[in-house]
Amino acid sequence: MAARFEQLDAYSQAFGRWRDERAATEPAAVTARREAAFGRFRAEGFPTRKDEDWKYTALAEATARVAVPGPAEAGWVPALEGLPAPDAGALRLVFVNGWFSSESGSRGHLPSGVRLGSLAKALREGDPDWVGDWLGRVEERPGKGFPALNQAFFTDGCLLEVPAGLELEVPIELVFVNVPRRDGLAAAACPRSLIRLGAGARVRLTEIHAGRPNARSLTNRTTEIDLAAGARLQYQRLIMEPAGQLHLGTVCASLADGAGLQSLVFALGGRLVRETLQVTLHGRRADTVLSGLSLARDHSHLDHQVEVRHLGPAGHSEQLYKAVAEDHGRAIYSGRVQVAEAAAGTRARQTGRGLLLSPEAEVDARPHLEIHTDDVECAHGCTLGPVAGEALFYLRSRGLSEEEAVRLLVRAFVTEVVQQAQPAALREFIEGRLPGAGS
Amino acid sequence: MLKIRNLHVSVEDREVLKGIDLEVAPGEVHAIMGPNGSGKSTLANLLAGREGYRVTAGQVLWHDRDLLALAPEERARDGIFLAFQYPVEVPGVTNVYLLKAALNARRRHQGLPEVDAVEFLDLVADKLKLVDMPQELLYRGVNEGFSGGEKKRNEILQMAILEPRLAILDETDSGLDIDALRIVAEGVNSMRDGDRAFILITHYQRLLNYVVPDRVHVLADGRIQRSGPASLAQTLEAEGYGWLERPAGDEAPAGTG
């Protein structure tokens, strides 16, 4: 335990310095929230394998490092190699080590009234005024340790506010890259993004998370999404961290009457990637489709914790998570559906599928249901296993090599998820990274 | 071309084939008949390279090479084709993709240039007519949601496109209505050319009304009990398999094809 106290002390000292720096550039109320969150982190510490939802996740590496954000390195635009090309006409915001760095694309097609930019800048300028209040809501966030640490240490992120009734024809892309700190220290990028759509607004938003192989960093991000009545968001994440990176994400979405969230996450790499996604259907007839694909190779550990809370009546939710694991790769999907007493007429489905390409690979898929009303239709199914021997033999008996047959079967396995991605270039990018795709 | 000698095969420690001798020469059509559980499908699948079988004695020569040492894809590229008893659904891989990949794998092996998309579609259009299959099925997942008859016709379509040297049809006739059966039979007959050999595995004599074999073998209890000319099939149809339990009569000995 001694080590843990020393570590907390190191965090406390780092937080003291950080708080003083931030206090100079942001409203006192925001700094006070950082203080409260750090207090919570001190009290609860990092999760361990004794915590039920961390049972399968080896966290030692994530928690042994004392990693805190470095200063913003303004104007630094790292070369972005190996990323999908920007969507045609997209507005792309680049964040480096958690700080806004640059923007590309034209704002000419952005309707007036849309607010899109750096969260840190909005706080500095005290505009819009609701932002400070919003940031307090992190107390309700799921998960232990990391959400509080993000609240205490958050750097920058995207603030997107779309007024009621507007449909954004311009797709928005957020690129988060981690590069080695100039001072050589282990860096924590703690981006925090707020996405708020007014009634009936429609947006497509894509996040890309990447980094330099030797950045020795930890990403601890939080994204909060608020969809007013009838708003629809297509929210894609492409997480392609280099082999040694640690990436922890918390995404919380709140849906009002008739709002719709289509969430699609691709986890392609990283030592440890874990995304906690919590979607709360507050309103009537809210609708969410949550899909994910993990490609776990080498020693990657890719983990999705998904929770859908049906609080309003007649909601609909679908979860479809697939994983392909090879080498010593490990993939986890834990899906939870909670149906409150008031949520009569709920329809919910959870599906987890895992494909194992090596004897050392491992996939876990666990559905959980918690139902407090009678009038529901809930279904779940999880299947895990190697490539179907029958299909493999069938293809080989037609002259296809074993390698080619496996490649085809993997492609067939993932297509249901991949085909949801937009634009086509993103689908092709992911297909090019499938096992055996010759990347 | 194919020589099977004293072949003994076990599945999970149970001996299924107990000494098979069979020779198939180019251009010949052999029918292997027999009751359920006699080992017919084991023989077909073993020849195509399915895993899970243990050969405890004997050998299989394919053009004087050890067939059993070849991977399934090597056998296919060298011209051995198995029409599956239960064709496998492969959702997410389109039928047309598999057909083209299979044909080009065979052509590469033969030292022929690969066919391009246009040539391929011309070729497929002809073969589709042969098996009376709508073009739409080309663009579906392999066998995905196909009816039983469509699956069997899809096997014949693959055979027609791949033009194997030896085609093994594993109960392709079972479960087919009379029209589908005719289509399958026409597919086989149209491909008989004096070089290509066929092994028709069937439980019933029905298919043999349309495809007249050169030799008929009766497989029961892991052994070829009788071999004879096409008329042996009619004897079986009339008398069932019960007579097999009686001592062998005056039929020719097994494996003289």
Side-chain angles (χ1 to χ4, degrees):
Chain A
M1 288 306 282
R4 170 160 291 187
F5 289 126
E6 276 171 30
Q7 190 197 29
L8 284 180
D9 278 346
Y11 266 107
S12 295
Q13 285 172 20
F15 179 73
R17 288 192 298 274
W18 171 257
R19 175 199 52 209
D20 296 346
E21 271 171 48
R22 301 321 307 154
T25 65
E26 66 189 19
V30 173
T31 312
R33 292 209 167 97
R34 292 184 187 276
E35 293 254 18
F38 190 75
R40 182 180 144 200
F41 167 69
R42 269 207 77 109
E44 66 188 20
F46 283 113
T48 68
R49 286 195 168 197
K50 286 183 188 146
D51 294 290
E52 174 60 26
D53 60 337
W54 287 90
K55 211 160 100 185
Y56 296 96
T57 306
L59 253 189
E61 286 176 72
T63 55
R65 276 180 211 176
V66 176
V68 296
E73 305 192 63
W76 188 14
V77 186
L80 303 177
E81 302 122 7
L83 301 186
D87 196 352
L91 260 176
R92 182 178 261 200
L93 276 61
V94 179
F95 296 82
V96 178
N97 292 353
W99 297 99
F100 175 73
S101 155
S102 63
E103 179 179 311
S104 61
S106 163
R107 283 186 174 252
H109 298 287
L110 213 55
S112 65
V114 174
R115 191 188 297 272
L116 171 69
S118 150
L119 175 70
K121 180 164 176 276
L123 288 175
R124 211 157 49 229
E125 295 171 358
D127 178 39
D129 52 11
W130 55 264
V131 170
D133 286 339
W134 183 312
L135 292 175
R137 292 172 32 174
V138 82
E139 305 308 329
E140 306 154 23
R141 298 308 173 217
K144 190 171 167 185
F146 293 101
L149 209 54
N150 175 276
Q151 166 78 326
F153 281 103
F154 75 83
T155 44
D156 198 351
C158 172
L159 173 66
L160 172 64
E161 189 184 9
V162 180
L166 276 184
E167 179 169 350
L168 275 200
E169 278 159 25
V170 183
I172 309 292
E173 295 181 355
L174 310 176
V175 178
F176 294 89
V177 283
N178 292 338
V179 301
R181 272 175 65 162
R182 285 179 183 172
D183 57 17
L185 296 174
C190 294
R192 179 123 189 233
S193 296
L194 306 182
I195 314 299
R196 193 180 201 190
L197 306 194
R202 281 168 179 262
V203 173
R204 182 163 95 219
L205 176 73
T206 304
E207 282 180 15
I208 298 171
H209 296 270
R212 295 266 174 85
N214 53 353
R216 287 208 304 140
S217 72
L218 180 151
T219 292
N220 178 8
R221 71 181 160 99
T222 302
T223 302
E224 288 150 286
I225 296 167
D226 188 65
L227 305 181
R232 303 202 82 80
L233 175 67
Q234 183 181 1
Y235 177 47
Q236 308 182 122
R237 280 90 72 215
L238 177 65
I239 303 171
M240 36 183 291
E241 301 282 10
Q245 300 303 85
L246 309 170
H247 180 116
L248 296 130
T250 306
V251 177
C252 296
S254 166
L255 279 63
D257 289 353
L261 171 69
Q262 188 198 345
S263 158
L264 183 58
V265 57
F266 295 97
L268 305 185
R271 173 67 189 90
L272 166 66
V273 173
R274 179 175 159 119
E275 186 183 89
T276 302
L277 170 61
Q278 185 190 64
V279 180
T280 306
L281 283 63
H282 287 284
R284 296 178 64 84
R285 297 192 184 286
D287 178 25
T288 189
V289 176
L290 313 172
S291 306
L293 172 66
S294 294
L295 302 179
R297 45 170 68 107
D298 302 325
H299 284 85
S300 270
H301 181 121
L302 310 175
D303 184 346
H304 292 282
Q305 302 281 322
V306 184
E307 183 182 22
V308 177
R309 300 191 297 172
H310 285 268
L311 303 186
H316 170 239
S317 68
E318 297 265 349
Q319 299 176 34
L320 172 65
Y321 277 75
K322 292 195 171 188
V324 180
E326 56 180 339
D327 308 325
H328 288 81
R330 178 104 202 260
I332 293 169
Y333 157 64
S334 169
R336 190 176 289 277
V337 169
Q338 207 185 88
V339 184
E341 204 179 335
T346 288
R347 284 176 303 134
R349 198 208 319 249
Q350 304 167 75
T351 309
R353 303 250 182 272
L355 186 62
L356 295 159
L357 298 184
S358 90
E360 291 81 22
E362 203 176 325
V363 179
D364 295 289
R366 290 170 293 148
H368 308 267
L369 265 175
E370 194 187 316
I371 300 175
H372 299 283
T373 179
D374 292 334
D375 176 19
V376 291
E377 254 179 66
C378 291
H380 61 76
C382 289
T383 53
L384 310 169
V387 170
E390 269 300 294
L392 190 60
F393 175 58
Y394 189 72
L395 297 177
R396 292 179 73 191
S397 79
R398 298 305 180 243
L400 276 60
S401 68
E402 183 170 9
E403 214 178 11
E404 167 79 349
V406 169
R407 192 186 69 78
L408 277 182
L409 292 172
V410 168
R411 215 182 136 103
F413 174 79
V414 303
T415 186
E416 197 182 355
V417 176
V418 174
Q419 71 187 6
Q420 297 179 39
Q422 281 186 307
L426 180 58
R427 295 194 288 276
E428 285 158 20
F429 181 85
I430 293 157
E431 279 164 2
R433 289 172 156 255
L434 294 174
S439 53
Chain B
M1 66 202 300
L2 181 74
K3 292 176 189 150
I4 302 175
R5 289 186 187 141
N6 188 34
L7 184 66
H8 289 252
V9 174
S10 294
V11 180
E12 291 167 355
D13 292 332
R14 192 171 61 88
E15 190 166 50
V16 179
L17 298 181
K18 304 172 180 175
I20 301 281
D21 290 280
L22 180 69
E23 265 191 43
V24 179
E28 290 182 347
V29 177
H30 289 244
I32 298 180
M33 304 183 69
N36 290 328
S38 59
K40 304 189 300 288
S41 281
T42 298
L43 180 61
N45 283 295
L46 180 85
L47 293 177
R50 186 189 288 271
E51 286 176 13
Y53 302 110
R54 202 158 48 87
V55 175
T56 55
Q59 62 175 181
V60 181
L61 295 178
W62 168 247
H63 294 280
D64 298 321
R65 292 165 68 200
D66 178 8
L67 177 73
L68 302 178
L70 301 177
E73 58 268 33
E74 294 172 308
R75 302 180 199 193
R77 291 170 193 166
D78 205 42
I80 294 180
F81 178 87
L82 171 66
F84 279 49
Q85 182 177 5
Y86 303 108
V88 182
E89 297 197 18
V90 194
V93 176
T94 60
N95 216 10
V96 70
Y97 184 95
L98 173 61
L99 286 167
K100 184 158 172 269
L103 176 62
N104 281 331
R106 174 134 167 75
R107 288 177 66 91
R108 280 194 301 275
H109 177 80
Q110 292 171 301
L112 297 171
E114 295 190 15
V115 294
D116 64 29
V118 177
E119 292 167 329
F120 180 71
L121 286 175
D122 281 349
L123 171 72
V124 173
D126 280 350
K127 308 293 184 187
L128 279 171
K129 275 181 221 142
L130 181 71
V131 294
D132 193 25
M133 235 169 84
Q135 191 163 11
E136 176 259 319
L137 292 187
L138 287 179
Y139 301 99
R140 294 243 296 264
V142 174
N143 294 320
E144 188 183 2
F146 286 26
S147 69
E150 284 169 342
K151 284 180 182 171
K152 295 295 177 85
R153 275 185 279 164
N154 200 28
E155 297 290 285
I156 300 301
L157 174 70
Q158 294 176 12
M159 178 178 81
I161 286 169
L162 293 175
E163 301 188 336
R165 294 199 276 174
L166 169 65
I168 304 159
L169 278 64
D170 186 7
E171 303 210 17
T172 302
D173 55 331
S174 62
L176 294 186
D177 62 30
I178 194 71
D179 292 331
L181 184 70
R182 266 200 204 111
I183 287 168
V184 167
E186 274 164 30
V188 172
N189 285 331
S190 71
M191 292 183 72
R192 288 178 79 162
D193 64 359
D195 282 326
R196 184 171 295 117
F198 291 86
I199 297 176
L200 309 176
I201 290 182
T202 179
H203 188 75
Y204 306 102
Q205 181 256 346
R206 213 166 57 133
L207 175 66
L208 307 182
N209 290 337
Y210 299 95
V211 182
V212 180
D214 298 301
R215 300 288 296 168
V216 174
H217 311 276
V218 181
L219 185 64
D221 191 29
R223 289 189 188 88
I224 291 180
Q225 308 284 353
R226 301 283 164 87
S227 292
S231 60
L232 176 57
Q234 272 115 46
T235 310
L236 286 171
E237 182 72 4
E239 301 183 14
Y241 292 109
W243 59 272
L244 281 171
E245 286 153 25
R246 298 197 301 268
D250 54 0
E251 293 287 347
T256 55

